[in-house]
Amino acid sequence: MRGHDARGRMPLSLVAQEPDLLFYTRQAAEHGGPVLVLGAANGRVVWALAGDGYDAVGVDPSGVMIRSAEERRHSEPEDVSRRARFLVADLRSLRLDERFPLVLAPQHALGLMPGKDDLEALLATVRHHLTPGGSFVYDVLNTPREPVLPRDDEAPSAGLEPRRPLFTLHLRERRAPGGPSPIRRLRLRHFTPEELDAALTAAGLVPRERYGRFDGKPFDLEDSRHIGIAGP
């Protein structure tokens, strides 16, 4: 597994974006579209990709979150709106007919999985939707070893990122009669790098790169983030 400095030349339109959005739009520039976003939350990654010219499909198990993502559609230009699509579905069992050169699980989406079996099921979804030679890119909060505080070279809120946006929307979701309990995003699971590597391997994915920040800093165990790239 290798790490490198992912910084470089970028369009001026991206300069003002947040670091994770810059990172994911760079990944799209490298791999091309369309892009599948698993755990789309309120759609910020999908809309950033669509705004940069990529077709993107955002999937989330929460109807509340997808409705929040769709609220932005009326304020986007028509060409951007056409490139963004949102679906409500269980990430573990999603099976679309489409294949994607790039699949993303941003904003600690893997932490929605309550256990290793669920994580492996989600990664099977990833493997199913990747084109040959495609890439899976994720970011998670690293396993806490002590209270996480931002380092001097990080922004004041950096130790708390990546966060799942709009957590409180999920508190309004109610269990349907006879149905499963809704996911509570405040109960996020942390997986160690070793656990993630084992789950990736079980799904037929090979870890390629790992970073501790969105600017391409190589990962170490003290980092608050774990950003990984894997592929078939």
Side-chain angles (χ1 to χ4, degrees):
M1 185 173 297
R2 61 188 174 89
H4 60 74
D5 189 339
R7 290 171 292 186
R9 299 175 65 88
M10 66 188 69
L12 291 176
S13 62
L14 298 181
V15 171
Q17 290 188 9
E18 297 175 66
D20 63 329
L21 300 182
L22 285 170
F23 177 80
Y24 285 120
T25 51
R26 281 197 297 263
Q27 292 298 317
E30 179 177 347
H31 298 287
V35 182
L36 176 61
V37 181
L38 298 175
N42 68 344
R44 59 189 291 274
V45 174
V46 171
W47 285 117
L49 292 167
D52 209 49
Y54 301 98
D55 290 338
V57 179
V59 185
D60 201 274
S62 167
V64 172
M65 293 300 261
I66 292 300
R67 287 194 294 274
S68 174
E70 286 284 2
E71 287 174 359
R72 182 167 165 179
R73 189 176 299 280
H74 72 277
S75 63
E76 293 289 342
E78 184 177 351
D79 60 327
V80 173
S81 182
R82 283 198 304 266
R83 289 193 287 265
R85 180 156 59 101
F86 295 98
L87 302 171
V88 178
D90 190 325
L91 305 182
R92 298 164 294 186
S93 58
L94 176 73
R95 294 295 183 271
L96 302 176
D97 293 334
E98 302 159 82
R99 297 296 182 269
F100 302 82
L102 181 62
V103 176
L104 308 179
Q107 303 173 134
H108 200 61
L110 299 184
L112 294 175
M113 300 299 102
K116 294 180 183 178
D117 290 344
D118 303 281
L119 175 63
E120 290 183 4
L122 185 154
L123 294 176
T125 295
V126 172
R127 183 68 180 85
H128 174 83
H129 290 95
L130 276 176
T131 59
S135 290
F136 170 53
V137 186
Y138 62 89
D139 72 79
V140 296
L141 294 173
N142 193 23
T143 308
R145 287 165 174 76
E146 58 186 46
V148 178
L149 296 175
R151 292 193 298 251
D152 291 340
D153 59 345
E154 292 185 318
S157 62
L160 304 177
E161 294 283 354
R163 64 190 179 279
R164 297 295 299 175
L166 303 177
F167 285 132
T168 53
L169 290 179
H170 287 274
L171 302 180
R172 299 204 297 267
E173 296 188 72
R174 296 293 181 262
R175 178 174 179 170
S181 298
I183 291 174
R184 299 304 188 201
R185 291 183 191 272
L186 291 175
R187 297 180 179 179
L188 295 178
R189 170 71 184 266
H190 290 83
F191 294 100
T192 66
E194 294 78 15
E195 289 174 324
L196 287 172
D197 282 356
L200 288 164
T201 300
L205 298 168
V206 179
R208 296 175 183 164
E209 304 170 33
R210 183 177 289 153
Y211 306 104
R213 289 203 307 262
F214 290 109
D215 64 1
K217 172 199 171 295
F219 175 80
D220 66 57
L221 291 176
E222 301 306 315
D223 287 321
S224 59
R225 300 181 184 87
H226 170 185
I227 303 159
I229 301 177

